[in-house]
Amino acid sequence: MLLYVDPREGSKKFLKEFDGESQELMLDGGDIAFWGNGPDDIPWFVGIEHKQVSDVVNCIKDGRFAGTQLPEMLKLYDVCFLLVEG
């Protein structure tokens, strides 16, 4: 499976972690994306937004995730995940 990783500051570290399994791609939403199989083997585009706990707290305060990032991801992907680390 090939992972598409946004090369900008917040997600570029994943290019090293998934070396040989990833490709740089500017994503309009999320940090990582990949093609998977949905029900009845229908291709689904899956998006993942990765955040540290401190960033989640900031996003709750300023409304960035719910107001900007999540709506953009819902337009782009068939299924979206928020991965919280920490």
Side-chain angles (χ1 to χ4, degrees):
M1 174 186 331
L2 179 64
L3 299 176
Y4 300 105
V5 177
D6 192 299
R8 290 175 278 199
E9 189 61 37
S11 33
K12 69 180 179 182
K13 66 182 178 183
F14 295 114
L15 289 167
K16 289 181 184 175
E17 290 185 39
F18 297 104
D19 188 35
E21 302 172 89
S22 63
Q23 171 182 322
E24 283 188 25
L25 181 66
M26 294 289 285
L27 300 171
D28 290 333
D31 296 305
I32 299 172
F34 63 92
W35 284 99
N37 291 328
D40 299 320
D41 288 328
I42 295 171
W44 275 13
F45 200 35
V46 179
I48 301 169
E49 176 68 25
H50 171 266
K51 294 198 176 299
Q52 298 288 332
V53 171
S54 60
D55 194 24
V56 171
V57 172
N58 290 334
C59 285
I60 290 169
K61 290 179 182 176
D62 67 17
R64 183 179 41 157
F65 181 72
T68 306
Q69 294 173 315
L70 181 59
E72 195 61 37
M73 289 179 70
L74 291 171
K75 286 191 275 183
L76 295 170
Y77 304 112
D78 296 298
V79 64
C80 305
F81 294 95
L82 172 61
L83 177 64
V84 179
E85 180 182 353

